[in-house]
Amino acid sequence: MAITVVGSVAYDSIETPAGRRERCLGGAATYFSLAASFFTDVRVIAVVGEDFGPEQEAVFNARKIDTRGIERAAGKSFFWEGSYLDNLNEAKTHITDLNVFASFNPKIPDAYRDSEFLFLANIDPVLQRRVRDAMPQAKLVAGDTMNYWIKDHRPALLEVLKGLDVLLINDTETKMLAGNNNLVQAARAVLAMGPKALVVKHGEYGATLFSGTAAASAPPSLRSGASAEERVAIGMNPFRAPALPLEEVVDPTGAGDSFAGGFFGYLASQPEVTPAAFRRAMFYGGVMGSFACERFGTERLQQLSHKEIDERFNLFRELTHLD
Amino acid sequence: MAITVVGSVAYDSIETPAGRRERCLGGAATYFSLAASFFTDVRVIAVVGEDFGPEQEAVFNARKIDTRGIERAAGKSFFWEGSYLDNLNEAKTHITDLNVFASFNPKIPDAYRDSEFLFLANIDPVLQRRVRDAMPQAKLVAGDTMNYWIKDHRPALLEVLKGLDVLLINDTETKMLAGNNNLVQAARAVLAMGPKALVVKHGEYGATLFSGTAAASAPPSLRSGASAEERVAIGMNPFRAPALPLEEVVDPTGAGDSFAGGFFGYLASQPEVTPAAFRRAMFYGGVMGSFACERFGTERLQQLSHKEIDERFNLFRELTHLD
């Protein structure tokens, strides 16, 4: 089933211990849609400036991604410059020029309206909600956010969370959103805000899926020390997917968005969204995130083959399975 | 098969967000032997002072741990005081009184000499090597170390590493030992120092096993971007075991030693040390480490049942396995 994604399409200048790239194609919606395009049809809603040309367009076309929802506006595209010289796990932002993105008002092409899957990438929660409300036919809605929205736009964000099936954020964001430094307690609190499932991304250590409707109502007696059955009974059903130990992380930019693309793309490709499909989706998320890190920008995702994805999925299984 | 462990038996005063305990029984050899005792016979070599009484002795006796190698010396036992108030992942040390441990010269009871498994807990590498040399019958030798020995006693430590089958250390120690900030490259460098396998402990994110004799000689072409088959062919055979997402970490002291005890204890209980046994041992390590965190000191390990261990092992499987 088709996915519509709303988010940024941007230019990034990136410096890592492996080198430097100027103005490569980036943005959350770009990484997400490239990763998801290996699993299902993807449609993008974004805004770009006059600097977005045929070369960039071709990257989407090569993966059969629908770009009719990418609006061209007068001015320049969103530009980000950052580095990872001290710490590959955390970008240091040097420049953020919103440019045409500052007045982004998502417009949804009629051809997108039958999308059953909707991904709200990390943008202003007011816009996330507007797109969600405009696409009531979407059966499964997932989204991302970041510290800025959690800290300074909490009421709008909480409205978005109420309508989400899956929220994908990292450890720090989870703890910040919940105001709780214990990951399990924080996950429980976030699930009580609305999302039916929470994917917490741990960077090089993988990701954990928390889900279950009983999450918000676990009795206090079911704390640590509870037996295995009791823990399972609390309904959080945690599932941990690994990240691949990589010989060289060339550029971690977009790894989280690529994870989301692999995760949600795989789910959308399945006849039914079952717990087993969710688990495999976590692995495909890790698979696509690991590829994204291997080259600068979207280079690796652009060159990827289905065979490589299958091989790496099997590698993830070997990496984690006892038998 | 029996394990002999050499290491510290100590008193710890511990403060965590969950509370404070004064002078509880601790030390690497204590946590290790309690955890390993659920899987096989364990024999301890250590030194304690006159403050080590029948109450402490009873903790070992209750788990049928052989304490004939625990020497009683004039003076006080090793004492450590630390807190985890800001960060549950890293202890802040307030006091380290070596006391009788300062002049520890391990003596090996004759009854221990047929031990086929030997664990060298985190002590002076000169002593680790002395014990290793004095027990040539040991078929599988594992060990731990810490930043202090890596930085200031490197030549002695490198001698120990040459004779190790398995080294168990954390991320920071691995990178420090190798002088390399990439975990995979660092693991490869550490394996080249002698150990046949390396277990890198990631705290709340679990642990990774690296092994394989080809580890030191991977051609440079087999870097990131290599296909799945090529990656497997480099011989590092990584395996990732999870940690249990815990509702409450009461006290992380001894979690790493308990991991080592579960890991090595399980290996020693198996008829053969196969790659499959290594994988299950990683899970049992995580299982015992997670229990250790649930109460102060060794409280949880003392109360544990085999049924609880089995249940948690199954929980670890559910936490990670696709099917």
Side-chain angles (χ1 to χ4, degrees):
Chain A
M1 283 175 280
I3 298 177
T4 286
V5 51
V6 57
S8 58
V9 171
Y11 287 100
D12 295 336
S13 287
I14 303 162
E15 190 165 8
T16 81
R20 192 179 162 87
R21 288 292 185 284
E22 303 297 338
R23 292 182 63 76
C24 47
L25 180 64
T30 306
Y31 284 100
F32 177 93
S33 55
L34 285 172
S37 71
F38 288 91
F39 302 93
T40 194
D41 294 332
V42 184
R43 301 151 170 182
V44 187
I45 300 171
V47 62
V48 293
E50 293 148 337
D51 49 2
F52 185 87
E55 198 189 324
Q56 288 74 38
E57 180 82 40
V59 171
F60 291 90
N61 292 341
R63 295 286 331 138
K64 311 276 181 233
I65 296 163
D66 195 329
T67 58
R68 283 176 288 178
I70 301 185
E71 180 192 349
R72 318 299 167 109
K76 285 185 168 181
S77 300
F78 188 157
F79 173 73
W80 177 81
E81 182 176 321
S83 64
Y84 304 83
L85 295 179
D86 298 329
N87 182 356
L88 274 167
N89 291 313
E90 204 181 336
K92 194 170 166 183
T93 293
H94 303 300
I95 303 172
T96 305
D97 286 337
L98 289 177
N99 297 326
V100 298
F101 211 74
S103 50
F104 180 34
N105 184 13
K107 292 171 195 64
I108 300 155
D110 282 339
Y112 286 19
R113 292 197 180 270
D114 63 350
S115 306
E116 296 193 349
F117 283 68
L118 175 62
F119 188 75
L120 310 169
N122 169 31
I123 53 171
D124 187 334
V126 170
L127 300 185
Q128 289 181 315
R129 192 171 178 210
R130 200 176 296 165
V131 173
R132 202 279 164 257
D133 289 346
M135 297 190 71
Q137 83 300 335
K139 286 184 182 161
L140 202 74
V141 185
D144 187 7
T145 191
M146 69 185 289
N147 50 4
Y148 174 70
W149 309 115
I150 295 170
K151 272 193 292 196
D152 299 336
H153 294 74
R154 191 174 177 89
L157 179 60
L158 291 179
E159 284 303 310
V160 173
L161 295 184
K162 284 182 195 167
L164 277 192
D165 294 295
V166 189
L167 175 66
L168 296 100
I169 50 181
N170 68 28
D171 279 79
T172 310
E173 290 155 357
T174 305
K175 291 171 181 177
M176 185 186 286
L177 181 55
N180 188 320
N181 256 330
N182 175 284
L183 184 66
V184 181
Q185 292 176 24
R188 190 187 303 290
V190 170
L191 287 175
M193 295 173 191
K196 296 185 187 67
L198 169 68
V199 176
V200 184
K201 296 172 285 182
H202 312 307
E204 64 172 316
Y205 299 117
T208 305
L209 169 72
F210 294 97
S211 60
T213 49
S217 57
S221 66
L222 297 181
R223 295 299 173 113
S224 68
S227 75
E229 287 92 347
E230 283 172 321
R231 276 172 185 284
V232 171
I234 67 177
M236 295 275 281
N237 298 324
F239 181 70
R240 242 175 206 189
L244 190 67
L246 282 175
E247 189 79 33
E248 188 184 18
V249 174
V250 171
D251 173 16
T253 309
D257 302 312
S258 303
F259 181 102
F263 172 86
F264 211 50
Y266 177 77
L267 274 188
S269 76
Q270 293 304 291
E272 230 187 321
V273 178
T274 61
F278 256 94
R279 288 172 173 239
R280 289 194 300 272
M282 290 288 287
F283 271 46
Y284 279 110
V287 163
M288 301 311 282
S290 73
F291 280 124
C293 294
E294 291 186 351
R295 299 274 187 282
F296 274 98
T298 59
E299 286 172 22
R300 188 73 177 99
L301 296 182
Q302 290 183 45
Q303 299 159 348
L304 210 50
S305 72
H306 284 280
K307 180 168 177 283
E308 287 173 311
I309 293 171
D310 292 345
E311 283 171 356
R312 187 155 297 183
F313 182 87
N314 290 335
L315 197 54
F316 270 66
R317 186 189 279 271
E318 282 172 37
L319 187 65
T320 51
H321 280 48
L322 291 171
D323 313 302
Chain B
M1 282 175 281
I3 298 177
T4 286
V5 51
V6 58
S8 58
V9 171
Y11 288 100
D12 295 335
S13 288
I14 304 163
E15 190 166 7
T16 81
R20 192 178 162 87
R21 288 291 186 284
E22 303 296 338
R23 293 183 60 78
C24 46
L25 180 64
T30 306
Y31 284 99
F32 177 94
S33 55
L34 285 173
S37 72
F38 288 91
F39 302 93
T40 194
D41 294 332
V42 185
R43 302 152 170 181
V44 187
I45 301 171
V47 62
V48 293
E50 293 148 337
D51 49 3
F52 186 88
E55 199 189 325
Q56 288 74 39
E57 180 83 40
V59 171
F60 292 89
N61 292 342
R63 296 285 332 138
K64 313 275 183 233
I65 296 163
D66 194 329
T67 57
R68 284 176 288 179
I70 301 185
E71 180 191 350
R72 318 298 166 110
K76 286 184 167 183
S77 299
F78 189 157
F79 172 73
W80 177 81
E81 183 177 320
S83 64
Y84 304 83
L85 295 180
D86 298 329
N87 182 356
L88 274 165
N89 291 313
E90 203 180 337
K92 194 170 166 183
T93 292
H94 303 300
I95 302 171
T96 304
D97 285 338
L98 289 178
N99 298 324
V100 297
F101 211 74
S103 51
F104 181 34
N105 184 12
K107 292 171 194 64
I108 300 155
D110 282 340
Y112 286 19
R113 292 198 180 268
D114 62 350
S115 305
E116 296 194 350
F117 283 67
L118 175 62
F119 188 75
L120 310 170
N122 169 31
I123 53 171
D124 186 334
V126 170
L127 300 185
Q128 289 181 315
R129 191 169 179 212
R130 200 176 297 165
V131 173
R132 202 281 164 257
D133 288 347
M135 297 189 71
Q137 84 300 333
K139 286 185 183 160
L140 203 73
V141 186
D144 188 7
T145 190
M146 69 184 290
N147 50 5
Y148 173 71
W149 309 115
I150 294 171
K151 272 193 291 196
D152 298 336
H153 293 74
R154 191 173 177 90
L157 178 60
L158 290 178
E159 284 303 311
V160 173
L161 296 184
K162 283 182 195 166
L164 278 193
D165 295 294
V166 189
L167 175 66
L168 296 99
I169 50 181
N170 68 27
D171 280 77
T172 311
E173 289 155 357
T174 305
K175 291 171 181 176
M176 185 187 288
L177 182 54
N180 188 320
N181 256 331
N182 175 284
L183 185 65
V184 180
Q185 291 176 24
R188 190 187 303 289
V190 170
L191 287 174
M193 295 173 192
K196 296 185 186 68
L198 169 67
V199 175
V200 184
K201 295 171 286 181
H202 312 306
E204 63 173 316
Y205 299 117
T208 305
L209 169 72
F210 295 97
S211 60
T213 49
S217 56
S221 66
L222 298 180
R223 294 298 170 116
S224 67
S227 75
E229 287 92 347
E230 283 173 322
R231 277 173 184 286
V232 170
I234 66 177
M236 295 274 281
N237 298 323
F239 180 71
R240 240 172 207 192
L244 190 67
L246 282 175
E247 189 79 33
E248 188 185 18
V249 174
V250 171
D251 173 16
T253 309
D257 301 313
S258 303
F259 181 103
F263 172 86
F264 212 49
Y266 177 77
L267 275 187
S269 76
Q270 293 304 293
E272 231 187 321
V273 178
T274 62
F278 256 94
R279 289 172 171 237
R280 289 193 301 272
M282 289 289 288
F283 271 47
Y284 280 108
V287 163
M288 301 310 283
S290 73
F291 280 124
C293 294
E294 291 186 351
R295 299 274 187 280
F296 274 97
T298 59
E299 287 171 21
R300 188 74 177 98
L301 295 182
Q302 290 184 44
Q303 299 159 348
L304 209 51
S305 72
H306 284 280
K307 180 168 176 286
E308 287 173 310
I309 293 171
D310 292 345
E311 283 171 356
R312 187 154 297 181
F313 182 88
N314 290 335
L315 196 55
F316 269 66
R317 186 191 281 269
E318 283 172 35
L319 188 65
T320 50
H321 280 47
L322 292 172
D323 314 301

